Amino acid sequence: MSTTDVIKSTENKNVHYVKQYIKNVLQQEPGDTVTVKGWVKTKRASKGIQFIQLSDGSCFTDLQIVIDASKFEENLLKEISTGCSLLVEGTLVESPAAGQKVELSATDIEIVGSAPVEDYPLQKKGATFEFLREIAHLRCRTNTFGAVNRIRSKASWAIHQFFNERGFHYVNTPIITASDCEGAGEMFYVSNSLAVENGEYKLKNKNPQEDFFAKPAYLTVSGQLEGETLACGLTNVYTFGPTFRAENSNSARHLAEFWMIEPEMAFCNLEGDMALATEFIQYVIKYALDNCSDDIEFFNKRIEPGILETLEHVVNSDFEHVSYTDAIKYLENSGEKFEYPIHWGADLQSEHERWLTEKKIGKPVIVYNYPKEIKAFYMRLNDDNKTVAAMDVLVPKIGEIIGGSQREERHNVLVQRIKEQNLEEEAYWWYLDLRKFGTVPHAGFGLGLERLIMYITGMKNIRDVIPYYRCPRNADF
Ligand code: ATP
Ligand code: MN
């Protein structure tokens, strides 16, 4: 069969996008005739019968295709190998195999695209995650990454549904911005003055005023500041978009590009913020438990034993609330030897966060009221003048999953805080305007989608819960 023949014959049956997914076929009855399309995961032969595991990514379970070798051309059957794409027609028959009701007895098979055995990099089962990162363009065909992608999709859907049910507006804040929201300086510049000549960067002009935006601009580290302006008019809003941080680390929980969900609520204080964060995490996890049970079962068996029980527990129990001051006391009295010393005023490192949530409390914890020196300028100053109304949600195995706060709504206090942190007051003129015209108490938080997916799946490296990961020295695919 020549390539052109294949394309011609499949064109006729492929005039529309796929509507008959393997997920649905697996629920049909013996005797039904179906056509399925997908990729071969494995093939084995025994006594004139060939068995193929076919996947179209619609669900965890593959469809078993049973082929009576005597009924097909030998050359065709030879060409079928792991990774090739097939179109198979046949009749469903009762499956003797455990875990599936039916299998497909093939009457017609077309190879849509072959995958030469010598070259196809995904031949063996059990490839390491490190190896799969090098073939990120193919890894969604494996059991693990199929499951990760499905859970990511379902969780995203659940997130929109959660906010929509509560009357929140979905808003889009800019990706290119001139303000550094976090003041952490981990920004990627956006400029059209940069060019590559002879393998070197050349600046076409040195003056930011002559650059595209006539001032330094960056990829956003958070949509929060703009989100606040929208909440102060639309009441409850959320963003869900890409976020960029030039984190120069090889951490297993930081990416240079990640997806953040940022609700912002007018007429809301820190307590309301914590309540929403809890309800939100529980909702998304429950949705995943209800709608991705096969995938979660796989993670429970193969990736993180016990994750299923953990998730069920999280859905049904309150999160512990601990003030920063109490958290420091617990840490100081823990008897643990931490790499970073801990004392009142120090930022919590991942090791501290994990000790608190794993060892001390044993479930998600919300730490609140942090020292103002270690938090951003926009967080509301508490009456003690030492702490701000900030809160971080910490979960076992990961640490921080959500960072949020009540925002400073008092104009004079905010100006003072901007000065204290040596920020340029003029740059925040529009942000300060919110505090001049109809100011309201308001609060919000940011959740990194990838951290949530790590939590739900038990995957240990953030690079394995996003299709293409961006980190130092990796923007290849
Ligand atoms: P961390 O201390 O873990 O670096 P952060 O304090 O910088 O987090 P925030 O600025 O509060 O985080 O951002 C809100 C949320 O965004 C975090 O709770 C986390 O879920 C997520 N997040 C932050 N930075 C990253 C990153 N580099 N990669 C992936 N997710 C991130
Ligand atoms: Mn950070």
Side-chain angles (χ1 to χ4, degrees):
M1 201 179 336
S2 77
T3 322
T4 40
D5 283 341
V6 172
I7 289 168
K8 212 184 277 164
S9 63
T10 54
E11 249 172 14
N12 294 330
K13 289 169 185 163
N14 252 338
V15 290
H16 223 293
Y17 61 89
V18 170
K19 289 177 186 164
Q20 189 161 37
Y21 296 110
I22 287 175
K23 173 174 110 182
N24 309 115
V25 168
L26 286 167
Q27 303 305 320
Q28 286 183 233
E29 297 302 320
D32 289 357
T33 58
V34 297
T35 304
V36 292
K37 295 152 189 162
W39 291 265
V40 175
K41 268 211 190 132
T42 56
K43 179 177 124 172
R44 66 195 164 83
S46 109
K47 297 184 206 124
I49 308 278
Q50 300 202 351
F51 299 96
I52 287 171
Q53 297 298 121
L54 195 75
S55 165
D56 63 3
S58 60
C59 61
F60 187 80
T61 312
D62 304 320
L63 178 64
Q64 172 142 292
I65 315 279
V66 187
I67 300 167
D68 179 345
S70 67
K71 293 191 180 145
F72 292 88
E73 256 181 65
E74 208 184 318
N75 280 346
L76 175 98
L77 295 186
K78 248 194 211 150
E79 205 182 328
I80 298 176
S81 60
T82 300
C84 77
S85 49
L86 298 184
L87 185 153
V88 185
E89 277 178 18
T91 310
L92 291 177
V93 294
E94 223 168 280
S95 174
Q100 59 200 41
K101 193 169 71 173
V102 290
E103 56 191 29
L104 184 62
S105 170
T107 51
D108 190 21
I109 302 175
E110 282 172 29
I111 298 175
V112 181
S114 59
V117 179
E118 327 73 86
D119 296 334
Y120 187 59
L122 265 180
Q123 291 297 344
K124 290 188 300 280
K125 278 194 164 176
T128 63
F129 291 151
E130 287 78 10
F131 170 69
L132 292 173
R133 274 174 223 145
E134 290 167 21
I135 50 164
H137 60 305
L138 296 171
R139 65 179 178 168
C140 72
R141 299 182 186 189
T142 63
N143 285 339
T144 305
F145 290 91
V148 164
N149 281 298
R150 278 188 298 276
I151 288 188
R152 206 183 146 102
S153 166
K154 288 287 182 205
S156 300
W157 174 248
I159 287 164
H160 283 296
Q161 188 168 291
F162 173 84
F163 288 118
N164 189 43
E165 282 173 2
R166 286 159 184 74
F168 282 61
H169 301 287
Y170 170 44
V171 296
N172 303 120
T173 49
I175 287 170
I176 300 174
T177 171
S179 59
D180 175 0
C181 171
E182 295 300 314
E186 292 167 332
M187 319 263 285
F188 289 104
Y189 282 93
V190 177
S191 162
N192 72 335
S193 295
L194 208 53
V196 176
E197 269 173 39
N198 304 323
E200 286 188 359
Y201 278 127
K202 280 262 152 53
L203 265 187
K204 284 191 280 181
N205 61 65
K206 285 193 171 164
N207 185 349
Q209 261 80 53
E210 285 163 27
D211 196 18
F212 191 91
F213 297 106
K215 60 164 71 165
Y218 320 89
L219 291 177
T220 186
V221 294
S222 160
Q224 181 203 313
L225 301 189
E226 295 90 348
E228 283 183 52
T229 68
L230 290 154
C232 293
L234 293 164
T235 304
N236 287 328
V237 301
Y238 72 104
T239 69
F240 189 161
T243 310
F244 307 87
R245 295 187 186 181
E247 314 256 15
N248 198 9
S249 74
N250 274 314
S251 120
R253 49 177 218 154
H254 289 93
L255 291 167
E257 177 182 294
F258 63 100
W259 285 69
M260 183 136 75
I261 296 97
E262 296 185 276
E264 191 69 35
M265 294 84 71
F267 307 100
C268 183
N269 62 11
L270 189 68
E271 217 174 300
D273 203 29
M274 296 197 276
L276 186 86
T278 307
E279 209 183 315
F280 173 59
I281 291 182
Q282 289 176 328
Y283 183 99
V284 180
I285 291 178
K286 179 157 192 334
Y287 190 92
L289 286 169
D290 291 347
N291 294 279
C292 313
S293 51
D294 286 2
D295 291 322
I296 291 179
E297 208 173 283
F298 163 79
F299 289 112
N300 194 47
K301 251 197 223 138
R302 291 296 182 80
I303 304 290
E304 173 75 39
I307 187 80
L308 180 61
E309 205 187 325
T310 302
L311 295 175
E312 280 165 353
H313 181 67
V314 168
V315 169
N316 295 311
S317 56
D318 282 339
F319 294 7
E320 194 88 12
H321 293 197
V322 178
S323 73
Y324 169 89
T325 301
D326 283 346
I328 295 296
K329 279 185 203 146
Y330 294 152
L331 286 159
E332 281 174 338
N333 298 328
S334 67
E336 295 276 326
K337 207 147 174 44
F338 294 114
E339 191 186 334
Y340 293 88
I342 194 76
H343 54 88
W344 201 97
D347 206 356
L348 298 184
Q349 302 295 326
S350 157
E351 54 174 347
H352 308 129
E353 295 175 345
R354 291 190 52 177
W355 180 84
L356 277 171
T357 172
E358 283 164 31
K359 302 253 170 69
K360 176 72 189 170
I361 312 283
K363 62 176 182 175
V365 185
I366 307 185
V367 179
Y368 63 96
N369 288 351
Y370 284 75
K372 63 175 180 180
E373 286 78 15
I374 58 170
K375 288 290 183 186
F377 74 95
Y378 52 72
M379 299 188 179
R380 193 178 196 280
L381 191 62
N382 287 324
D383 292 343
D384 60 12
N385 260 319
K386 289 196 308 212
T387 60
V388 287
M391 63 103 178
D392 283 358
V393 180
L394 317 178
V395 298
K397 304 270 157 73
I398 297 171
E400 180 185 335
I401 190 168
I402 280 182
S405 65
Q406 183 172 341
R407 322 306 188 187
E408 184 55 74
E409 87 285 10
R410 298 161 296 186
H411 188 272
N412 58 335
V413 182
L414 187 58
V415 170
Q416 185 57 33
R417 294 277 291 141
I418 287 177
K419 284 188 182 141
E420 269 172 30
Q421 301 214 358
N422 292 321
L423 299 167
E424 256 180 78
E425 193 181 325
E426 304 85 76
Y428 295 97
W429 68 271
W430 53 273
Y431 190 69
L432 285 163
D433 261 8
L434 289 186
R435 282 74 183 167
K436 274 198 219 156
F437 310 125
T439 193
V440 282
H442 60 289
F445 62 78
L447 166 100
L449 177 66
E450 289 74 18
R451 297 237 179 128
L452 180 63
I453 303 302
M454 286 174 79
Y455 190 43
I456 296 177
T457 59
M459 294 293 285
K460 297 183 181 55
N461 195 312
I462 198 164
R463 298 171 189 193
D464 296 334
V465 294
I466 186 166
Y468 295 100
Y469 65 98
R470 297 288 170 257
C471 68
R473 289 173 300 286
N474 186 63
D476 286 346
F477 292 94

